[in-house]
Amino acid sequence: MSSPGPVGALSEDSNHSIRSLVQKSQDAREQAYCPYSKFRVGAAVLTSDGTVFTGCNVENASYPAGLCAEMTAISKAVSEGHTSFQAIAIASDLKDQYIFPCGVCRQFMREFGLEWDIYPTKSDGSYQTMTLDELLPHSFGPADLSARRNH
Ligand code: THU
């Protein structure tokens, strides 16, 4: 039986779609440009209209200039006109641990709402389902910029 789940999120019976998104994040991991960390990451983001954009980490000799896989995937989507998302899968080579998005990536995702699913995965393709609200509680978002202020 399917359960309703959060608005815009893949329902529990979308196992097949989730697995396909996970596979795409693993495929994107193959393109990781990570000569410094040697830590490959791939991401696949699913837009509300069902389009998938993928990304990998892109490192730089000036280390802080590097990009995470999630940011690459989301930026590709936004630059093609997509700002509404259902889910993102993240893949690394970690064997025994799920790859969770870094803090900056969580904030990057949060810009586009809290009601979408994050699938951190292990290298065998197993995944967890989390909402962005769980990963980044009490977050700061676009609406806060126009909230009542004293000055
Ligand atoms: N990395 C990501 O791409 N996403 C994350 O959420 C965690 C970290 C990348 C950044 C860097 O290229 C490498 O992993 C090691 O930190």
Side-chain angles (χ1 to χ4, degrees), residues 34 37 39 41 57 59 67-70 90 99-102 105:
C34 53
S37 72
F39 190 90
V41 185
N57 49 339
E59 296 185 347
L67 278 181
C68 286
E70 299 91 318
I90 309 156
I99 174 76
F100 286 97
C102 79
C105 284

Side-chain angles (χ1 to χ4, degrees), residues 4 10 19 29-30 38 58 66 73 82 88 95-96 99 104 112 122 125 131 139 150-151:
L10 293 171
R19 295 226 164 265
R29 181 185 59 190
E30 297 297 316
K38 310 263 193 310
V58 183
H82 299 264
I88 187 168
K95 195 169 158 43
D96 303 317
I99 174 76
V104 178
F112 305 103
K122 291 185 190 174
T131 65
S139 63
N150 263 331
H151 186 74

